[in-house]
Amino acid sequence: MLEISVLKVEDPSCLWGRIVKGPCVQAHSPKDYEDLQVKMNLFYHDVNFDEQKLKLNSLEEGQVCVVFHSDQKNWCRAVVESLLLGTVNGQAVCFLVDHAERIVVHKDEVRVALDQFLELPFWMQKFELAGIQPMRLQVSLCEQKAELVPSCHWDSSATRYLLNLIQASTRVQAVLCGRYMGSSAIQLYLTIQNVKICVNDDLVVKKFACLSSAKTNVTSQNSSVDPSPVSLTCDIFSSPDKFLATNVFHAATSLPPAFLFEEGHRDDIIMGESTTSGAGDSGGSSVKLNGESYLKERQNVKEELACARLLQLLNPDPFNPDADSLDTNVSKPISSAVLVHSAITVDPCVTLSHAPITENFRKFLLRRKYAGPGEAESYCWPSVARGCDTVLVSHSGEDPVSYLPPLLAHIQLSSVYSPLSAHSGPLSVILCPGWEKVQMVMELLEESQAAQCLHPAAALIGLGKDEATNFKIQKNCQLLVTTPSSMARLLAAHCFLFLRLCHLVLHEADVLCSRTPAQMETILQHFKKLVCSEERVSCPRQIISVAKRWTPPLDSLVREHMFSPNVIITALEEAALYGQVHQVVLLCLDSSKTSVLLSSLDFNPSLPQKTLIIANSPEEVEHVHKVVTSTSAFSLKAHEGLTFELDFVIQLWNQDIGPDTQVILVTTNECLKALGIRDATCVVHYGFPSSPKLFGLRLLCMSENFRNLSDKSTGPGVQSVLLLSERSARHIPGVLRYLKRTNASLPPELLQFARGVQRAKEEQKTDRPLCGYLKSTGCCRDSSACADRHSVSRILDNPQHSFSGIILVLPLYIKSASVYYGRVVRQKDDCYETLSAQMSSHYAREKLCAKDVLEGELYGIQERDVYHRVRVTEVPDKGDRLFSSVTAHFLDEGRTQEVKSHQLFQLPTQFHQLPPQAVEIIVCRVQPIDGEVHWNPKVTRAISQKIQGKLHQAKVVLSLGNTIWVDPMVRVTRLPGLKTFINEYNISDEILATGMGTTNPQHVDLLKELIQHQADSSTAQTSHAHLFESSPVTLKLKVQAEEEPLSSKVNASEENLSTGPELRVEPPKTGLNDPQRFESSPVTLKLKVQAEEEPLSSKVNASEENLSTGPDFHPQVKWYEKKNTVIVHIKLTCPDKQRCEFYSDRVIYSAYVNERHYLANLELQGNVIPEHCSWSVEGNEPEIRLVKLEERNWKTLLKHKSPFVCYNFDYIGEEEMTMLNGPWFVADAKDEGCYVISDSELESDSD
């Protein structure tokens, strides 16, 4: 038996409700449908979507759609019941499947129901009482008698009787009898006064219905409905309450056995059920029905239908449907979260079939199962295909598919290159940041086979003598792929080879401009002179810039070298950098965010302002809106619970405002897309954005006020205010990496905290190997993103070999041009030679194959006539294969490769004792040219062929762990028959001779400086030493330890902004020169670092994240005013060397705290009398008293807003509040948002 909730009754044959409980029934909670309603409202309210793409081209009866319910102000799922095509614009009668209502809507108001909104079943289900048929009173005038006969329509009295029964019941249950025409036939049971009745049988007893077996043929002339009810023995119509108070069930003596029974005596039918009382979601009659309102509502629907039919009769439209309207396919709407600045309209391509690319490339993309075009391609492809200058900033900027297909189509299909036929050279040049990207683009061109007619070629020119001069470009080459440095060398040697150049593509332009700025300037100036010549007037000119980040060099690129560019940015956080959004960061406690918020708002702006305050929950929206409203500011709010007011909010927001006016809207992230705001002037992040994408989506609300490089216009100043509290401490390093690129003024406490977190992360890498790039060049490109270690470890970097002076090395595995693995050959008592001979002798006698290959175990393997020791590092699942491969590391050669498992031999234990003989050998003072990360493969190949397996003499200059640095490393050859040796070659010189390498003179000095820096580093504070004595410290604990000083520094009630000790969580370290450092090992670190060497910290620091600030710090300033004076508090504790100078329009204060210099240059918004002004120290803090020149209220202290200056809400009294226009929000003294240090502890935000 099912427990149901009846929500609406049309008649006994049409009941609308839902199943609450039952066997094998998965009932969805009302919260699911509320969430669905919110999502639909936000989606269909989105003003940026093209409504034409969401409209249905044709309507059919029974079609599922989405319509707007004007009374409820909600978008609802509906089913089209009937069409009124003859009316003006066409109308349809739709049934709301989640509300059981019928409404008449215009055809243009019907929207497509997306699949994501149809996952939940319809909230309403249709039920009908099974086994009964309605009856009516038939009066015969001839025979003068009346009798009850079967009918086709239910009498209104039966419907009203059923309504009253359901209202009086405390539980509604049903037995499913079958399904007919989308309706479920049921036996309905109601519990009234602990008595359960069967409604089907009750209607038969009351003569409202008869059993279905008594059905008779009812003719059409007898189908009229008698509106008057039949006479009842129990009057439930006039007074239902009196009916419930009376025991009426004994009167029905002729009831069927299944009709009347006491609750609890029908366990054979209802097993284990208990009676529930009251109205609720779990009860049967959870929604109280009102019969009068229902009948009135039904009458209104009938009147609407009648009016619609009348209009259809008066205004008949010819039935001539358009053929296009029969297409019900709806294209996927393009996301509006894209910034496009263009002089011409760019229509995005949404499907691959309509993309402006060649058929060959389209087939290639289909073979690769390409899922695009994505957001970047849909806007970039049409722009490139038109030949427009294009700037694309996207997270997929490193993918050449974002620009290459339309470029190839434009070159192949265009016929405007005929004036250039007299010249030679490529039509298009693609500049890539390195040889790896050049190789990637060439592989894509070769694999697609879509550019064979263009004869693409790659050009990688080194520093070799006459290499650029001897380089030849094929005459039929129309597409050249190269690097900026190679291109600059070619221009210097063959500038006449690029006279036909029309298309210049900058692949990863942000990297190109940052690594090779001089070469890029040379190339761009050459291209500018080339395309501006008179003979090129009718020829195309195009620059395509694709990047992942917006950087300042792109500004000059667009302004000076592009004509009417199309700027397309899909990385929204980068769009804010392009739009020059001014970033303001405010530190505060989570409990004082509202007071800091109020201090950051300008309630009396000189220009019209529209401020958007974004919270993370509806509760925060209500709280912030209440606080802002208390200041008498005009404030709006919108969140998921107020979706029916979105149109009203948008209407108020879009109204024009005048000067000295500010409109404030408090909303959530979910409502931003539906509101479609693009004209805000300020965004306040009250709730911290959880991702960079969400942060960029918020800033996009100011996109109409961004500067526009397409038309060379600069918009009004826009700003973003980010409130950082202790709850968002874990995100600070990532936030700072972004804010550093905005030139924002950052609090020193924030930088100090970020350095502490970075140190904690670096210390967590103690088990990682030393960074390979740092070892081979002396510094890492990006230590914050690199996963390896960048500091010397006293355990891992303890030298494993006592090598010094001149040694003999045998390189066996060439990892790169300057990094090898091999053995150090000893002239006397070479242990490896002895081991090799013993292994050969052993396996000559017996070879026992390895039975079970286990990961981490040692085995033997034969290669030609040599036996090697290997350690298995990975054993994949063998499956059903007879033979399988495993990954093995060759202990005495250093290489790792796959070997067949059946080729492994058992290795006796006596061969395990000798340590691995492979040593990492790094040649010093050489590095790849042009700032490349990796060596060109042809250089590595040439060096490998020259040195592999040959003895070399090398001088050891440094040794750490299993790595030795040598300089020089030469091949020594003995002249036959003589005792004379000659240096055949020097490896460093051989690398430089290839033209792909250059010198790195500071390589060894940088490594020594790193070691010396580690030796001089201080130990951790003793207060946290116990964290490292008992157990290993995890990164989570270290970050939490760093959060404690941050929360104390933002406590505004006690300490100074920038003073106080910094909490360090570094484990105790000892210097490298300390004899106790490596006492556990018999081998000591042999390093000779000269004390008089010049420090190279500048080069080392360039490889790390630079978070340092200037010599002057700005203190936190709080102020309040009286009648004729202004009191200014400088939040510094116990400062010394104080100095304060007064002028008529400014005050300059300076002091020192903990050897830090603090300077506050305050340009006042009003004039003061310098002779009457004074300063003193009150409570260990400086206090400045300014005497106004004129007795008037100061709205602000300074002429220009500063993040370090805020009003002191502690001193707002009743007199000041009455002087201001409207009430003020008075914050608690503990809730101030100053950036000072405090010893008070905060509760952890572990929740």
Side-chain angles (χ1 to χ4, degrees), residues 753-764:
F753 174 77
R755 287 194 294 269
V757 173
Q758 183 63 29
R759 284 195 302 269
K761 290 183 178 179
E762 189 65 31
E763 291 167 6
Q764 192 65 18

Side-chain angles (χ1 to χ4, degrees), residues 1031-1211:
S1031 61
V1033 179
T1034 64
L1035 179 60
K1036 180 178 180 181
L1037 291 176
K1038 293 183 180 180
V1039 174
Q1040 287 179 352
E1042 291 292 341
E1043 289 177 8
E1044 295 177 3
L1046 178 70
S1047 60
S1048 63
K1049 290 172 186 176
V1050 299
N1051 191 336
S1053 60
E1054 297 182 7
E1055 293 286 344
N1056 174 15
L1057 168 65
S1058 305
T1059 59
E1062 178 187 357
L1063 178 60
R1064 301 178 183 271
V1065 291
E1066 301 181 55
K1069 306 183 183 75
T1070 57
L1072 290 175
N1073 297 328
D1074 191 340
Q1076 297 179 355
R1077 177 175 173 84
F1078 301 117
E1079 61 183 5
S1080 60
S1081 173
V1083 184
T1084 60
L1085 179 65
K1086 295 186 177 181
L1087 293 175
K1088 295 182 180 180
V1089 182
Q1090 300 297 332
E1092 63 274 7
E1093 290 180 344
E1094 292 293 329
L1096 299 172
S1097 58
S1098 58
K1099 185 75 177 287
V1100 175
N1101 293 337
S1103 67
E1104 299 179 355
E1105 187 174 19
N1106 183 15
L1107 295 174
S1108 61
T1109 60
D1112 294 335
F1113 296 89
H1114 199 298
Q1116 178 72 11
V1117 177
K1118 286 199 169 188
W1119 70 282
Y1120 68 95
E1121 63 175 336
K1122 294 184 179 180
K1123 186 176 181 180
N1124 58 351
T1125 59
V1126 176
I1127 309 301
V1128 179
H1129 290 280
I1130 307 296
K1131 308 300 288 186
L1132 293 177
T1133 303
C1134 299
D1136 54 9
K1137 299 181 182 180
Q1138 302 182 70
R1139 185 177 179 181
C1140 188
E1141 300 177 5
F1142 299 97
Y1143 301 92
S1144 60
D1145 60 345
R1146 73 175 57 240
V1147 177
I1148 300 178
Y1149 173 85
S1150 63
Y1152 284 86
V1153 176
N1154 291 347
E1155 298 181 356
R1156 288 186 178 182
H1157 183 234
Y1158 289 84
L1159 176 65
N1161 189 348
L1162 307 178
E1163 186 178 2
L1164 306 176
Q1165 69 100 8
N1167 292 333
V1168 298
I1169 305 175
E1171 297 79 10
H1172 297 169
C1173 298
S1174 62
W1175 68 279
S1176 62
V1177 177
E1178 300 290 341
N1180 296 331
E1181 289 186 355
E1183 178 181 293
I1184 302 175
R1185 182 178 297 272
L1186 305 176
V1187 180
K1188 300 179 184 178
L1189 182 62
E1190 300 177 358
E1191 293 186 7
R1192 63 179 180 87
N1193 294 330
W1194 285 17
K1195 298 179 180 178
T1196 58
L1197 178 65
L1198 306 180
K1199 282 187 178 180
H1200 307 287
K1201 293 194 65 174
S1202 172
F1204 304 100
V1205 179
C1206 64
Y1207 195 91
N1208 198 336
F1209 290 93
D1210 292 345
Y1211 293 90

Side-chain angles (χ1 to χ4, degrees), residues 834-950:
T834 303
L835 174 68
S836 180
Q838 293 176 356
M839 291 179 62
S840 299
S841 174
H842 170 77
Y843 287 116
R845 296 190 304 269
E846 60 176 350
K847 293 181 181 180
L848 300 178
C849 294
K851 298 180 179 178
D852 297 328
V853 179
L854 303 177
E855 184 175 336
E857 296 296 329
L858 298 182
Y859 300 93
I861 192 172
Q862 181 181 6
E863 286 186 348
R864 299 176 183 173
D865 297 333
V866 181
Y867 293 92
H868 303 277
R869 298 183 301 168
V870 296
R871 184 188 302 276
V872 175
T873 58
E874 184 180 357
V875 180
D877 186 14
K878 184 177 180 180
D880 298 333
R881 293 173 297 176
L882 181 60
F883 301 102
S884 63
S885 299
V886 297
T887 303
H889 176 71
F890 288 72
L891 300 181
D892 304 315
E893 291 192 3
R895 56 190 168 102
T896 301
Q897 67 182 44
E898 284 191 356
V899 297
K900 300 295 183 182
S901 59
H902 62 275
Q903 295 178 348
L904 298 178
F905 303 134
Q906 297 181 15
L907 187 68
T909 55
Q910 64 266 23
F911 300 144
H912 294 189
Q913 299 177 359
L914 184 67
Q917 297 297 296
V919 179
E920 185 180 21
I921 307 168
I922 298 179
V923 177
C924 299
R925 298 188 299 110
V926 288
Q927 63 182 356
I929 62 172
D930 305 333
E932 295 277 5
V933 179
H934 302 109
W935 287 97
N936 193 301
K938 72 177 185 179
V939 182
T940 302
R941 190 181 310 111
I943 297 300
S944 177
Q945 294 173 356
K946 197 173 192 67
I947 71 173
Q948 188 174 19
K950 299 178 182 178

Side-chain angles (χ1 to χ4, degrees), residues 1019-1026:
T1019 61
Q1021 291 186 2
T1022 57
S1023 59
H1024 290 269
H1026 66 278

Side-chain angles (χ1 to χ4, degrees), residues 121 124 127 158 177 256 346 352 394 463 482 538 693 695 727 743 841 888 901 906 1006 1027 1062 1085 1098 1110 1158 1198 1246:
M124 293 291 122
F127 301 98
C177 299
V346 178
L352 197 61
S394 172
L463 299 176
T482 183
S538 60
K693 182 178 181 181
F695 183 67
R727 292 184 178 272
N743 298 323
S841 174
S901 59
Q906 297 181 15
L1006 288 172
L1027 293 175
E1062 178 187 357
L1085 179 65
S1098 58
Y1158 289 84
L1198 306 180
S1246 59

